[in-house]
Amino acid sequence: MKTKMQVQTCGKLYLAGEYAVLSPGHAALIKNIPIYMRAEIEVADSYELDSDLFSHKASLAPDADYALIQETIQLMHDYLSLLQRPLHPFALTIRGKMGKDGRKFGLGSSGSVVVLTIKAMAAFYQLKLSSDLLFKLAAVVLLKRGDNGSMGDLACIAYEQLVYYRSFDRMAIRQRLADTSLLEILEQDWDYEIKPIQPALACDFLVGWTREPAISSDLVKQVKSGLNEDFLNQTQLQVDCLKEALESADKTAVKDSISTASQLLDRLSSLIYTEKLQALREASQGLDCVAKSSGAGGGDCGFALSFATEDSQTLIQRWQEAGLELLYQERMGAHEPKS
Ligand code: PMV
Ligand code: MG
């Protein structure tokens, strides 16, 4: 056991497939965003938890603010005990709020904190966890909590890259958890797919922040009843097209599939495209760009792909004028096209 270890986890952003991915067997494309949460873990006489998300510290005694971290620690303790590893108290410090001025960005901080806590404990106990096992352990934590998400955020954050994620039947695995040992569950095939994607299309990837915090689980509850076969099938088609188009550097197809996925969301519920998100999307008009809301919508972030440097500047300026903040920017697609 080393004395002090450091780990980090990224944020994520849905490119396409949100809401549809809630239906088992449907896919989404989710991109890693290198805005990090960081953790330090070291040996201590008793458990000390300290996150800058809260103004107080905690131990393992029940604490509503620290519940997610505590439940993750509990799951890891169950796992370590099954591996017959002796447990030792530690001090865990978590930094990085994935937000500003008390408002979250919507980059998946709760998923990130679960993966971060698992990574920190794996480092502390010198366990080598594959990205896949990391994903499954984090998913078990959320399943036990009754989370209503697709776990797509965990897939992206555990793999730390742009992924194609096809979801599993969370209800079925949650039921299995009741009568199957954790080790067995972790070894089983849950029937999901997580495939890292290497975009070959060169473009600027821009993230715009609305500064309006949205709660995904609430939006999911409100929007879910509208998920019909037509939406699911059409969205799946666009996710598959976008994946192919990104890999083969087909600009027109990338733009088409993102715009169509965006229209499908717009038709699904009026809660998704807030005025700010509409402005984010409309800023791409007349430019060699495509823009879309990301994730549950109702606020948080959207993104744009821009294929001309001058147009990126115009788009950013239009965003600023509409009260949208450029949160992150990168040059995407430095890879050779897949033949
Ligand atoms: O808003 P986000 O980034 O939390 O994304 C939510 C995406 C949904 O498909 C609406 C829900 C989910 O868990 O997949
Ligand atoms: Mg969101």
Side-chain angles (χ1 to χ4, degrees), residues 160-200:
E160 257 193 271
Q161 39 189 328
L162 170 57
V163 295
Y164 176 93
Y165 168 67
R166 184 172 57 73
S167 67
F168 60 97
D169 185 342
R170 277 95 58 209
M171 200 93 96
I173 301 297
R174 187 177 294 142
Q175 278 166 5
R176 244 190 252 173
L177 276 168
D179 56 15
T180 316
S181 90
L182 178 62
L183 289 185
E184 217 175 303
I185 285 267
L186 293 172
E187 272 172 21
Q188 286 175 353
D189 179 3
W190 296 5
D191 194 20
Y192 61 78
E193 197 181 342
I194 304 173
K195 224 194 244 169
I197 301 299
Q198 307 264 300

mmCIF file of all heavy atoms in Angstrom, residues 160-200:
data_model
loop_
_atom_site.group_PDB
_atom_site.id
_atom_site.type_symbol
_atom_site.label_atom_id
_atom_site.label_comp_id
_atom_site.label_asym_id
_atom_site.label_seq_id
_atom_site.Cartn_x
_atom_site.Cartn_y
_atom_site.Cartn_z
ATOM 1 N N GLU A 160 -12.538 7.028 -20.970
ATOM 2 C CA GLU A 160 -11.853 8.307 -21.226
ATOM 3 C C GLU A 160 -11.603 8.592 -22.686
ATOM 4 O O GLU A 160 -10.540 9.086 -23.075
ATOM 5 C CB GLU A 160 -10.522 8.361 -20.467
ATOM 6 C CG GLU A 160 -10.624 9.226 -19.242
ATOM 7 C CD GLU A 160 -9.289 9.571 -18.638
ATOM 8 O OE1 GLU A 160 -8.821 8.789 -17.791
ATOM 9 O OE2 GLU A 160 -8.737 10.607 -19.026
ATOM 10 N N GLN A 161 -12.550 8.216 -23.520
ATOM 11 C CA GLN A 161 -12.472 8.573 -24.933
ATOM 12 C C GLN A 161 -13.859 8.631 -25.544
ATOM 13 O O GLN A 161 -14.830 8.295 -24.881
ATOM 14 C CB GLN A 161 -11.572 7.629 -25.714
ATOM 15 C CG GLN A 161 -11.672 6.187 -25.325
ATOM 16 C CD GLN A 161 -10.585 5.350 -25.986
ATOM 17 O OE1 GLN A 161 -10.153 5.634 -27.091
ATOM 18 N NE2 GLN A 161 -10.145 4.317 -25.317
ATOM 19 N N LEU A 162 -13.889 9.071 -26.796
ATOM 20 C CA LEU A 162 -15.168 9.082 -27.515
ATOM 21 C C LEU A 162 -15.604 7.627 -27.688
ATOM 22 O O LEU A 162 -14.846 6.811 -28.210
ATOM 23 C CB LEU A 162 -14.976 9.759 -28.873
ATOM 24 C CG LEU A 162 -16.137 9.674 -29.872
ATOM 25 C CD1 LEU A 162 -17.430 10.247 -29.314
ATOM 26 C CD2 LEU A 162 -15.769 10.410 -31.163
ATOM 27 N N VAL A 163 -16.806 7.317 -27.203
ATOM 28 C CA VAL A 163 -17.268 5.923 -27.302
ATOM 29 C C VAL A 163 -18.632 5.830 -27.980
ATOM 30 O O VAL A 163 -19.456 6.753 -27.920
ATOM 31 C CB VAL A 163 -17.369 5.217 -25.910
ATOM 32 C CG1 VAL A 163 -16.009 5.081 -25.256
ATOM 33 C CG2 VAL A 163 -18.361 5.911 -24.983
ATOM 34 N N TYR A 164 -18.815 4.678 -28.599
ATOM 35 C CA TYR A 164 -20.124 4.243 -29.078
ATOM 36 C C TYR A 164 -20.602 3.306 -27.982
ATOM 37 O O TYR A 164 -19.959 2.291 -27.702
ATOM 38 C CB TYR A 164 -19.938 3.498 -30.401
ATOM 39 C CG TYR A 164 -21.202 2.892 -30.984
ATOM 40 C CD1 TYR A 164 -21.976 3.595 -31.900
ATOM 41 C CD2 TYR A 164 -21.586 1.590 -30.668
ATOM 42 C CE1 TYR A 164 -23.106 3.038 -32.461
ATOM 43 C CE2 TYR A 164 -22.723 1.024 -31.231
ATOM 44 C CZ TYR A 164 -23.471 1.748 -32.126
ATOM 45 O OH TYR A 164 -24.601 1.193 -32.690
ATOM 46 N N TYR A 165 -21.696 3.667 -27.334
ATOM 47 C CA TYR A 165 -22.186 2.863 -26.196
ATOM 48 C C TYR A 165 -23.577 2.329 -26.509
ATOM 49 O O TYR A 165 -24.498 3.102 -26.766
ATOM 50 C CB TYR A 165 -22.230 3.728 -24.933
ATOM 51 C CG TYR A 165 -22.981 3.093 -23.776
ATOM 52 C CD1 TYR A 165 -22.486 1.956 -23.140
ATOM 53 C CD2 TYR A 165 -24.198 3.624 -23.332
ATOM 54 C CE1 TYR A 165 -23.193 1.366 -22.082
ATOM 55 C CE2 TYR A 165 -24.896 3.039 -22.281
ATOM 56 C CZ TYR A 165 -24.381 1.906 -21.668
ATOM 57 O OH TYR A 165 -25.070 1.317 -20.631
ATOM 58 N N ARG A 166 -23.717 1.012 -26.518
ATOM 59 C CA ARG A 166 -25.027 0.383 -26.672
ATOM 60 C C ARG A 166 -25.447 -0.115 -25.295
ATOM 61 O O ARG A 166 -24.705 -0.844 -24.629
ATOM 62 C CB ARG A 166 -24.948 -0.777 -27.678
ATOM 63 C CG ARG A 166 -26.301 -1.421 -27.974
ATOM 64 C CD ARG A 166 -26.215 -2.439 -29.106
ATOM 65 N NE ARG A 166 -25.247 -3.490 -28.864
ATOM 66 C CZ ARG A 166 -25.394 -4.494 -28.001
ATOM 67 N NH1 ARG A 166 -26.480 -4.598 -27.274
ATOM 68 N NH2 ARG A 166 -24.443 -5.405 -27.859
ATOM 69 N N SER A 167 -26.617 0.337 -24.837
ATOM 70 C CA SER A 167 -26.982 0.122 -23.429
ATOM 71 C C SER A 167 -27.499 -1.281 -23.146
ATOM 72 O O SER A 167 -27.958 -1.984 -24.048
ATOM 73 C CB SER A 167 -28.038 1.145 -23.008
ATOM 74 O OG SER A 167 -29.246 0.915 -23.705
ATOM 75 N N PHE A 168 -27.434 -1.649 -21.888
ATOM 76 C CA PHE A 168 -27.927 -2.961 -21.433
ATOM 77 C C PHE A 168 -29.248 -2.763 -20.691
ATOM 78 O O PHE A 168 -29.662 -1.628 -20.398
ATOM 79 C CB PHE A 168 -26.882 -3.638 -20.529
ATOM 80 C CG PHE A 168 -26.532 -2.865 -19.286
ATOM 81 C CD1 PHE A 168 -27.142 -3.153 -18.060
ATOM 82 C CD2 PHE A 168 -25.591 -1.840 -19.318
ATOM 83 C CE1 PHE A 168 -26.819 -2.448 -16.910
ATOM 84 C CE2 PHE A 168 -25.260 -1.128 -18.169
ATOM 85 C CZ PHE A 168 -25.877 -1.429 -16.971
ATOM 86 N N ASP A 169 -29.871 -3.863 -20.361
ATOM 87 C CA ASP A 169 -31.153 -3.836 -19.649
ATOM 88 C C ASP A 169 -30.853 -3.644 -18.154
ATOM 89 O O ASP A 169 -30.519 -4.584 -17.445
ATOM 90 C CB ASP A 169 -31.880 -5.165 -19.913
ATOM 91 C CG ASP A 169 -33.274 -5.179 -19.301
ATOM 92 O OD1 ASP A 169 -33.552 -4.343 -18.406
ATOM 93 O OD2 ASP A 169 -34.073 -6.030 -19.714
ATOM 94 N N ARG A 170 -30.962 -2.413 -17.704
ATOM 95 C CA ARG A 170 -30.588 -2.099 -16.305
ATOM 96 C C ARG A 170 -31.517 -2.775 -15.305
ATOM 97 O O ARG A 170 -31.075 -3.235 -14.247
ATOM 98 C CB ARG A 170 -30.580 -0.587 -16.054
ATOM 99 C CG ARG A 170 -29.277 0.089 -16.497
ATOM 100 C CD ARG A 170 -29.351 0.657 -17.864
ATOM 101 N NE ARG A 170 -30.390 1.630 -18.040
ATOM 102 C CZ ARG A 170 -31.018 1.861 -19.201
ATOM 103 N NH1 ARG A 170 -30.711 1.169 -20.275
ATOM 104 N NH2 ARG A 170 -31.963 2.784 -19.294
ATOM 105 N N MET A 171 -32.782 -2.875 -15.670
ATOM 106 C CA MET A 171 -33.735 -3.518 -14.758
ATOM 107 C C MET A 171 -33.322 -4.964 -14.521
ATOM 108 O O MET A 171 -33.328 -5.447 -13.382
ATOM 109 C CB MET A 171 -35.125 -3.474 -15.401
ATOM 110 C CG MET A 171 -36.247 -3.638 -14.440
ATOM 111 S SD MET A 171 -36.802 -2.051 -13.919
ATOM 112 C CE MET A 171 -38.172 -1.856 -15.055
ATOM 113 N N ALA A 172 -32.960 -5.658 -15.592
ATOM 114 C CA ALA A 172 -32.599 -7.083 -15.492
ATOM 115 C C ALA A 172 -31.350 -7.258 -14.631
ATOM 116 O O ALA A 172 -31.300 -8.145 -13.768
ATOM 117 C CB ALA A 172 -32.374 -7.655 -16.884
ATOM 118 N N ILE A 173 -30.354 -6.405 -14.820
ATOM 119 C CA ILE A 173 -29.109 -6.547 -14.038
ATOM 120 C C ILE A 173 -29.377 -6.158 -12.582
ATOM 121 O O ILE A 173 -28.856 -6.783 -11.658
ATOM 122 C CB ILE A 173 -27.962 -5.698 -14.643
ATOM 123 C CG1 ILE A 173 -27.691 -6.120 -16.091
ATOM 124 C CG2 ILE A 173 -26.684 -5.815 -13.800
ATOM 125 C CD1 ILE A 173 -27.205 -7.544 -16.281
ATOM 126 N N ARG A 174 -30.227 -5.159 -12.375
ATOM 127 C CA ARG A 174 -30.561 -4.756 -11.004
ATOM 128 C C ARG A 174 -31.226 -5.931 -10.279
ATOM 129 O O ARG A 174 -30.908 -6.211 -9.127
ATOM 130 C CB ARG A 174 -31.493 -3.545 -11.031
ATOM 131 C CG ARG A 174 -31.751 -2.967 -9.647
ATOM 132 C CD ARG A 174 -32.628 -1.731 -9.728
ATOM 133 N NE ARG A 174 -31.951 -0.636 -10.404
ATOM 134 C CZ ARG A 174 -32.541 0.219 -11.230
ATOM 135 N NH1 ARG A 174 -33.828 0.124 -11.500
ATOM 136 N NH2 ARG A 174 -31.857 1.187 -11.793
ATOM 137 N N GLN A 175 -32.104 -6.625 -10.968
ATOM 138 C CA GLN A 175 -32.766 -7.789 -10.353
ATOM 139 C C GLN A 175 -31.755 -8.893 -10.069
ATOM 140 O O GLN A 175 -31.800 -9.530 -9.028
ATOM 141 C CB GLN A 175 -33.881 -8.307 -11.260
ATOM 142 C CG GLN A 175 -35.166 -7.496 -11.088
ATOM 143 C CD GLN A 175 -36.179 -7.728 -12.181
ATOM 144 O OE1 GLN A 175 -35.987 -8.569 -13.050
ATOM 145 N NE2 GLN A 175 -37.255 -6.966 -12.140
ATOM 146 N N ARG A 176 -30.834 -9.095 -11.011
ATOM 147 C CA ARG A 176 -29.819 -10.130 -10.836
ATOM 148 C C ARG A 176 -28.963 -9.854 -9.604
ATOM 149 O O ARG A 176 -28.508 -10.770 -8.927
ATOM 150 C CB ARG A 176 -28.911 -10.161 -12.063
ATOM 151 C CG ARG A 176 -28.996 -11.464 -12.833
ATOM 152 C CD ARG A 176 -27.897 -11.505 -13.857
ATOM 153 N NE ARG A 176 -28.402 -11.339 -15.204
ATOM 154 C CZ ARG A 176 -27.609 -11.198 -16.277
ATOM 155 N NH1 ARG A 176 -26.300 -11.173 -16.132
ATOM 156 N NH2 ARG A 176 -28.134 -11.056 -17.472
ATOM 157 N N LEU A 177 -28.742 -8.554 -9.332
ATOM 158 C CA LEU A 177 -27.904 -8.171 -8.189
ATOM 159 C C LEU A 177 -28.473 -8.713 -6.868
ATOM 160 O O LEU A 177 -27.727 -8.953 -5.926
ATOM 161 C CB LEU A 177 -27.817 -6.642 -8.091
ATOM 162 C CG LEU A 177 -26.769 -5.948 -8.943
ATOM 163 C CD1 LEU A 177 -27.012 -4.451 -8.953
ATOM 164 C CD2 LEU A 177 -25.372 -6.256 -8.404
ATOM 165 N N ALA A 178 -29.781 -8.886 -6.838
ATOM 166 C CA ALA A 178 -30.437 -9.316 -5.604
ATOM 167 C C ALA A 178 -30.071 -10.763 -5.246
ATOM 168 O O ALA A 178 -30.017 -11.105 -4.066
ATOM 169 C CB ALA A 178 -31.945 -9.175 -5.747
ATOM 170 N N ASP A 179 -29.805 -11.600 -6.243
ATOM 171 C CA ASP A 179 -29.581 -13.016 -5.908
ATOM 172 C C ASP A 179 -28.304 -13.601 -6.519
ATOM 173 O O ASP A 179 -28.148 -14.811 -6.608
ATOM 174 C CB ASP A 179 -30.814 -13.853 -6.317
ATOM 175 C CG ASP A 179 -31.143 -13.664 -7.786
ATOM 176 O OD1 ASP A 179 -30.285 -13.146 -8.513
ATOM 177 O OD2 ASP A 179 -32.260 -14.038 -8.192
ATOM 178 N N THR A 180 -27.401 -12.731 -6.973
ATOM 179 C CA THR A 180 -26.154 -13.234 -7.557
ATOM 180 C C THR A 180 -24.985 -12.534 -6.852
ATOM 181 O O THR A 180 -25.100 -11.358 -6.519
ATOM 182 C CB THR A 180 -26.094 -12.904 -9.076
ATOM 183 O OG1 THR A 180 -27.362 -13.205 -9.647
ATOM 184 C CG2 THR A 180 -25.011 -13.681 -9.785
ATOM 185 N N SER A 181 -23.897 -13.269 -6.646
ATOM 186 C CA SER A 181 -22.773 -12.627 -5.949
ATOM 187 C C SER A 181 -22.137 -11.568 -6.854
ATOM 188 O O SER A 181 -22.183 -11.667 -8.087
ATOM 189 C CB SER A 181 -21.737 -13.662 -5.536
ATOM 190 O OG SER A 181 -20.789 -13.812 -6.565
ATOM 191 N N LEU A 182 -21.566 -10.568 -6.211
ATOM 192 C CA LEU A 182 -20.975 -9.456 -6.947
ATOM 193 C C LEU A 182 -19.917 -9.952 -7.940
ATOM 194 O O LEU A 182 -19.885 -9.522 -9.096
ATOM 195 C CB LEU A 182 -20.369 -8.444 -5.956
ATOM 196 C CG LEU A 182 -19.666 -7.238 -6.555
ATOM 197 C CD1 LEU A 182 -20.636 -6.380 -7.371
ATOM 198 C CD2 LEU A 182 -19.012 -6.392 -5.464
ATOM 199 N N LEU A 183 -19.072 -10.877 -7.495
ATOM 200 C CA LEU A 183 -17.998 -11.356 -8.381
ATOM 201 C C LEU A 183 -18.577 -12.026 -9.618
ATOM 202 O O LEU A 183 -18.082 -11.854 -10.730
ATOM 203 C CB LEU A 183 -17.064 -12.332 -7.645
ATOM 204 C CG LEU A 183 -16.160 -11.723 -6.581
ATOM 205 C CD1 LEU A 183 -15.210 -12.771 -6.021
ATOM 206 C CD2 LEU A 183 -15.367 -10.528 -7.114
ATOM 207 N N GLU A 184 -19.646 -12.781 -9.403
ATOM 208 C CA GLU A 184 -20.295 -13.463 -10.525
ATOM 209 C C GLU A 184 -20.902 -12.446 -11.492
ATOM 210 O O GLU A 184 -20.722 -12.534 -12.705
ATOM 211 C CB GLU A 184 -21.389 -14.374 -9.966
ATOM 212 C CG GLU A 184 -21.542 -15.689 -10.716
ATOM 213 C CD GLU A 184 -22.553 -16.569 -10.014
ATOM 214 O OE1 GLU A 184 -22.354 -16.857 -8.811
ATOM 215 O OE2 GLU A 184 -23.547 -16.921 -10.648
ATOM 216 N N ILE A 185 -21.612 -11.480 -10.933
ATOM 217 C CA ILE A 185 -22.221 -10.419 -11.752
ATOM 218 C C ILE A 185 -21.165 -9.718 -12.605
ATOM 219 O O ILE A 185 -21.365 -9.464 -13.785
ATOM 220 C CB ILE A 185 -22.902 -9.358 -10.840
ATOM 221 C CG1 ILE A 185 -24.205 -9.893 -10.274
ATOM 222 C CG2 ILE A 185 -23.105 -8.037 -11.548
ATOM 223 C CD1 ILE A 185 -25.437 -9.544 -11.088
ATOM 224 N N LEU A 186 -20.036 -9.438 -11.981
ATOM 225 C CA LEU A 186 -18.989 -8.697 -12.690
ATOM 226 C C LEU A 186 -18.397 -9.519 -13.838
ATOM 227 O O LEU A 186 -17.884 -8.967 -14.807
ATOM 228 C CB LEU A 186 -17.881 -8.267 -11.722
ATOM 229 C CG LEU A 186 -18.294 -7.227 -10.673
ATOM 230 C CD1 LEU A 186 -17.183 -7.027 -9.657
ATOM 231 C CD2 LEU A 186 -18.667 -5.890 -11.332
ATOM 232 N N GLU A 187 -18.474 -10.833 -13.696
ATOM 233 C CA GLU A 187 -17.931 -11.704 -14.751
ATOM 234 C C GLU A 187 -18.936 -11.937 -15.875
ATOM 235 O O GLU A 187 -18.559 -12.335 -16.969
ATOM 236 C CB GLU A 187 -17.536 -13.060 -14.155
ATOM 237 C CG GLU A 187 -16.114 -13.032 -13.638
ATOM 238 C CD GLU A 187 -15.744 -14.273 -12.868
ATOM 239 O OE1 GLU A 187 -16.414 -15.321 -13.053
ATOM 240 O OE2 GLU A 187 -14.802 -14.198 -12.075
ATOM 241 N N GLN A 188 -20.205 -11.715 -15.581
ATOM 242 C CA GLN A 188 -21.236 -12.015 -16.573
ATOM 243 C C GLN A 188 -21.255 -11.012 -17.723
ATOM 244 O O GLN A 188 -20.806 -9.880 -17.591
ATOM 245 C CB GLN A 188 -22.620 -12.026 -15.900
ATOM 246 C CG GLN A 188 -22.849 -13.260 -15.059
ATOM 247 C CD GLN A 188 -24.170 -13.203 -14.304
ATOM 248 O OE1 GLN A 188 -24.863 -12.189 -14.304
ATOM 249 N NE2 GLN A 188 -24.497 -14.298 -13.638
ATOM 250 N N ASP A 189 -21.811 -11.468 -18.833
ATOM 251 C CA ASP A 189 -22.018 -10.598 -19.991
ATOM 252 C C ASP A 189 -23.339 -9.855 -19.782
ATOM 253 O O ASP A 189 -24.386 -10.485 -19.666
ATOM 254 C CB ASP A 189 -22.077 -11.474 -21.252
ATOM 255 C CG ASP A 189 -22.305 -10.642 -22.503
ATOM 256 O OD1 ASP A 189 -22.351 -9.397 -22.398
ATOM 257 O OD2 ASP A 189 -22.444 -11.243 -23.577
ATOM 258 N N TRP A 190 -23.292 -8.551 -19.729
ATOM 259 C CA TRP A 190 -24.512 -7.758 -19.494
ATOM 260 C C TRP A 190 -25.173 -7.365 -20.817
ATOM 261 O O TRP A 190 -26.153 -6.626 -20.825
ATOM 262 C CB TRP A 190 -24.198 -6.488 -18.700
ATOM 263 C CG TRP A 190 -23.691 -6.697 -17.315
ATOM 264 C CD1 TRP A 190 -23.381 -7.888 -16.701
ATOM 265 C CD2 TRP A 190 -23.437 -5.671 -16.346
ATOM 266 N NE1 TRP A 190 -22.939 -7.664 -15.427
ATOM 267 C CE2 TRP A 190 -22.964 -6.309 -15.178
ATOM 268 C CE3 TRP A 190 -23.546 -4.283 -16.352
ATOM 269 C CZ2 TRP A 190 -22.608 -5.596 -14.030
ATOM 270 C CZ3 TRP A 190 -23.195 -3.565 -15.214
ATOM 271 C CH2 TRP A 190 -22.732 -4.225 -14.063
ATOM 272 N N ASP A 191 -24.548 -7.747 -21.884
ATOM 273 C CA ASP A 191 -25.062 -7.436 -23.215
ATOM 274 C C ASP A 191 -25.092 -5.926 -23.505
ATOM 275 O O ASP A 191 -26.116 -5.366 -23.883
ATOM 276 C CB ASP A 191 -26.461 -8.057 -23.413
ATOM 277 C CG ASP A 191 -26.862 -8.032 -24.878
ATOM 278 O OD1 ASP A 191 -25.969 -7.912 -25.732
ATOM 279 O OD2 ASP A 191 -28.075 -8.101 -25.157
ATOM 280 N N TYR A 192 -23.957 -5.301 -23.275
ATOM 281 C CA TYR A 192 -23.781 -3.911 -23.721
ATOM 282 C C TYR A 192 -22.557 -3.883 -24.619
ATOM 283 O O TYR A 192 -21.815 -4.873 -24.709
ATOM 284 C CB TYR A 192 -23.591 -2.946 -22.536
ATOM 285 C CG TYR A 192 -22.385 -3.231 -21.676
ATOM 286 C CD1 TYR A 192 -21.102 -2.869 -22.074
ATOM 287 C CD2 TYR A 192 -22.527 -3.876 -20.453
ATOM 288 C CE1 TYR A 192 -19.998 -3.150 -21.282
ATOM 289 C CE2 TYR A 192 -21.431 -4.158 -19.664
ATOM 290 C CZ TYR A 192 -20.165 -3.794 -20.083
ATOM 291 O OH TYR A 192 -19.081 -4.074 -19.309
ATOM 292 N N GLU A 193 -22.364 -2.754 -25.253
ATOM 293 C CA GLU A 193 -21.189 -2.596 -26.105
ATOM 294 C C GLU A 193 -20.582 -1.232 -25.829
ATOM 295 O O GLU A 193 -21.304 -0.236 -25.769
ATOM 296 C CB GLU A 193 -21.660 -2.668 -27.565
ATOM 297 C CG GLU A 193 -20.599 -2.910 -28.574
ATOM 298 C CD GLU A 193 -21.200 -2.924 -29.991
ATOM 299 O OE1 GLU A 193 -22.425 -3.090 -30.134
ATOM 300 O OE2 GLU A 193 -20.423 -2.733 -30.933
ATOM 301 N N ILE A 194 -19.268 -1.203 -25.636
ATOM 302 C CA ILE A 194 -18.562 0.088 -25.507
ATOM 303 C C ILE A 194 -17.409 0.046 -26.499
ATOM 304 O O ILE A 194 -16.478 -0.746 -26.330
ATOM 305 C CB ILE A 194 -18.022 0.330 -24.078
ATOM 306 C CG1 ILE A 194 -19.147 0.238 -23.034
ATOM 307 C CG2 ILE A 194 -17.333 1.704 -23.992
ATOM 308 C CD1 ILE A 194 -18.672 0.305 -21.584
ATOM 309 N N LYS A 195 -17.522 0.860 -27.518
ATOM 310 C CA LYS A 195 -16.515 0.821 -28.578
ATOM 311 C C LYS A 195 -15.852 2.183 -28.711
ATOM 312 O O LYS A 195 -16.525 3.161 -29.049
ATOM 313 C CB LYS A 195 -17.239 0.492 -29.891
ATOM 314 C CG LYS A 195 -16.521 -0.538 -30.740
ATOM 315 C CD LYS A 195 -17.121 -0.535 -32.110
ATOM 316 C CE LYS A 195 -17.786 -1.849 -32.449
ATOM 317 N NZ LYS A 195 -18.584 -1.756 -33.671
ATOM 318 N N PRO A 196 -14.551 2.283 -28.451
ATOM 319 C CA PRO A 196 -13.874 3.565 -28.668
ATOM 320 C C PRO A 196 -13.894 3.950 -30.148
ATOM 321 O O PRO A 196 -13.713 3.086 -31.006
ATOM 322 C CB PRO A 196 -12.450 3.297 -28.188
ATOM 323 C CG PRO A 196 -12.582 2.142 -27.255
ATOM 324 C CD PRO A 196 -13.671 1.291 -27.821
ATOM 325 N N ILE A 197 -14.135 5.210 -30.417
ATOM 326 C CA ILE A 197 -14.229 5.708 -31.799
ATOM 327 C C ILE A 197 -13.085 6.689 -32.054
ATOM 328 O O ILE A 197 -12.806 7.543 -31.220
ATOM 329 C CB ILE A 197 -15.576 6.468 -31.997
ATOM 330 C CG1 ILE A 197 -16.768 5.563 -31.706
ATOM 331 C CG2 ILE A 197 -15.674 7.086 -33.388
ATOM 332 C CD1 ILE A 197 -16.871 4.359 -32.589
ATOM 333 N N GLN A 198 -12.450 6.543 -33.207
ATOM 334 C CA GLN A 198 -11.385 7.463 -33.599
ATOM 335 C C GLN A 198 -11.902 8.330 -34.744
ATOM 336 O O GLN A 198 -11.920 7.869 -35.880
ATOM 337 C CB GLN A 198 -10.184 6.674 -34.118
ATOM 338 C CG GLN A 198 -9.691 5.595 -33.178
ATOM 339 C CD GLN A 198 -8.550 6.104 -32.335
ATOM 340 O OE1 GLN A 198 -7.522 6.498 -32.869
ATOM 341 N NE2 GLN A 198 -8.726 6.104 -31.039
ATOM 342 N N PRO A 199 -12.320 9.558 -34.464
ATOM 343 C CA PRO A 199 -12.824 10.376 -35.571
ATOM 344 C C PRO A 199 -11.687 10.769 -36.521
ATOM 345 O O PRO A 199 -10.614 11.177 -36.074
ATOM 346 C CB PRO A 199 -13.425 11.600 -34.884
ATOM 347 C CG PRO A 199 -12.920 11.585 -33.503
ATOM 348 C CD PRO A 199 -12.321 10.261 -33.182
ATOM 349 N N ALA A 200 -11.946 10.612 -37.813
ATOM 350 C CA ALA A 200 -10.925 10.949 -38.805
ATOM 351 C C ALA A 200 -11.184 12.321 -39.418
ATOM 352 O O ALA A 200 -10.358 12.853 -40.136
ATOM 353 C CB ALA A 200 -10.909 9.888 -39.897
#
